[in-house]
Amino acid sequence: MTSSHLYDLIIVGAGPSGLTAGIYAMRAALDTLLIDKGLPGGQMNNTDTVENWPGSETISGSELGAAMASHAKAYGLEIRQQEVREIEPGIDCHLVRLDEGEELRTLSLIIAAGGSPRKLEVPGEAENYGKGVSYCAVCDGFFFRNKTVVVVGGGDSALEESLYLAKIATKVYLVHRRDAFRGGMILQKRVLAEKKIEIRWNTVISAINSDQGGITGVSTEDTQSGAKGQLACDGVFIFIGFDPDNSLIPAGTRMNADGYVVTDSKCETNHPGIFVAGDLREKYVKQIITAAADGCVAAQAAARYVENRKDNQP
Ligand code: NAP
């Protein structure tokens, strides 16, 4: 059923880019709706502490997400918890189809759908997801108090979450496929100084092993010597990057080979009036602050687009 209401702007996704877009859109007096299938905050809800949001030396990710959501709601932003099924670009307006058959009409759209953790794709990973295999230390770390865990990855997420897990677990094996970390220097120094973290360089995981009682360990392979080994552990936390969620991106939208949407400096895609903000957009640095900045840019550009459309109406 198509709604007769025509929104100025619909934002899909309530992470830092979507919520910031909501704040700027409401301040620009756009008739705006924000839709997200989950809780406002997005990936911030899976982050223990954020230490690089200017003005807060340290703040929990979920606290920052909740603060952004209440800031946006203070301007009257409507946030709907529902799943978007499809987006269809149009000339007069764009259509947003929801999971229960409802169809919304809007002059402009900001897609801020982010993405999800990349999978290792090894035997034992999918079968043990939620039973010892996790992609979120803040969500599942609690279950590994005084136990041994393996963390996989060498970026900021793996380093940050290893430090978080070291506060809970007895031992953390940090398994990285190279001999140097990709993550930032401050985190590297902290990880190297943490006695509970043992780093296994040049090592990949070939299988996650389990029995009736849960995870028993991982099978490893040295990337230099080819030597095979085993690490006994109770849980495996995987932080090997991110896959953009481009499932709602309409056909014909310009994307790069990794599935990120290519936009111009206004965050606008090649479909006029459809903008992409946050981690789904091709860009150099993916941080909460760059996601928020995208949200600001996209909302300002959407406001200008809507204004032009209304000025040029017959
Ligand atoms: P990332 O920076 O892309 O790092 C992924 C890590 O996983 C890399 O070390 C990579 O190894 C490794 N990896 C990738 N595929 C693998 C595979 N199949 N098997 C084994 N290892 C694999 O991802 P991220 O750490 O999730 O961070 C994503 C973005 O968010 C980054 O831009 C990061 O700076 C940002 N972030 C920032 C903060 C912060 O500032 N506090 C916190 C979290 C995330 P190689 O190094 O060999 O490629």
Side-chain angles (χ1 to χ4, degrees):
M1 189 187 63
T2 309
S3 159
S4 57
H5 186 80
L6 176 63
Y7 286 97
D8 288 334
L9 171 65
I10 291 181
I11 302 166
V12 181
S17 54
L19 290 171
T20 306
I23 292 168
Y24 277 81
M26 294 310 288
R27 287 171 62 86
L30 294 184
D31 176 8
T32 305
L33 171 68
L34 187 152
I35 311 171
D36 193 314
K37 58 179 182 252
L39 281 178
Q43 289 178 78
M44 290 189 288
N45 290 323
N46 301 339
T47 304
D48 176 34
T49 45
V50 176
E51 295 182 341
N52 46 16
W53 180 253
S56 299
E57 269 177 49
T58 154
I59 183 167
S60 86
S62 54
E63 217 179 304
L64 183 56
M68 287 186 190
S70 72
H71 189 167
K73 282 182 193 159
Y75 286 115
L77 178 68
E78 185 190 348
I79 301 182
R80 237 203 240 190
Q81 194 171 355
Q82 208 168 347
E83 184 155 2
V84 174
R85 282 262 175 260
E86 195 183 13
I87 286 169
E88 188 182 315
I91 293 169
D92 293 334
C93 68
H94 306 299
L95 297 178
V96 176
R97 298 202 175 91
L98 303 178
D99 56 355
E100 277 150 22
E102 196 182 353
E103 198 169 72
L104 304 176
R105 301 186 316 133
T106 183
L107 287 175
S108 67
L109 254 166
I110 297 177
I111 306 173
S116 52
R118 186 170 295 148
K119 311 292 180 293
L120 261 182
E121 314 284 358
V122 295
E125 182 182 20
E127 305 86 295
N128 289 301
Y129 172 59
K131 296 184 231 157
V133 171
S134 171
Y135 304 89
C136 176
V138 181
C139 318
D140 302 321
F142 170 79
F143 299 110
F144 298 92
R145 185 164 295 284
N146 300 327
K147 296 195 170 174
T148 297
V149 296
V150 163
V151 171
V152 193
D156 283 325
S157 300
L159 301 184
E160 223 168 58
E161 305 310 324
S162 295
L163 290 163
Y164 175 76
L165 287 164
K167 289 189 256 172
I168 301 169
T170 319
K171 173 132 196 125
V172 177
Y173 288 107
L174 176 52
V175 176
H176 182 37
R177 65 181 177 184
R178 286 192 296 126
D179 61 357
F181 287 130
R182 181 180 290 276
M185 246 9 229
I186 289 188
L187 289 172
Q188 291 198 29
K189 281 187 185 154
R190 286 188 202 158
V191 163
L192 293 168
E194 172 53 65
K195 291 194 170 53
K196 281 193 190 172
I197 301 178
E198 184 176 325
I199 302 164
R200 295 295 172 104
W201 302 106
N202 298 316
T203 303
V204 290
I205 287 176
S206 51
I208 297 171
N209 309 313
S210 58
D211 63 16
Q212 303 268 343
I215 301 283
T216 54
V218 293
S219 303
T220 61
E221 192 172 324
D222 188 304
T223 55
Q224 307 292 300
S225 65
K228 294 189 189 328
Q230 299 284 328
L231 277 177
C233 66
D234 305 291
V236 182
F237 287 82
I238 299 164
F239 302 106
I240 58 165
F242 181 81
D243 286 325
D245 182 354
N246 54 23
S247 55
L248 290 174
I249 297 300
T253 307
R254 210 175 141 216
M255 286 197 265
N256 69 16
D258 297 323
Y260 291 88
V261 178
V262 178
T263 72
D264 63 12
S265 60
K266 295 183 301 198
C267 293
E268 194 167 18
T269 67
N270 54 313
H271 299 287
I274 300 189
F275 301 81
V276 167
D279 283 357
L280 176 53
R281 188 172 86 84
E282 180 188 63
K283 61 182 164 183
Y284 179 51
V285 175
K286 292 191 191 69
Q287 295 278 298
I288 297 172
I289 193 161
T290 56
D294 278 0
C296 158
V297 171
Q300 304 268 57
R304 179 61 63 87
Y305 174 86
V306 168
E307 203 179 303
N308 286 342
R309 284 289 308 273
K310 289 182 176 173
D311 283 350
N312 294 324
Q313 250 168 17

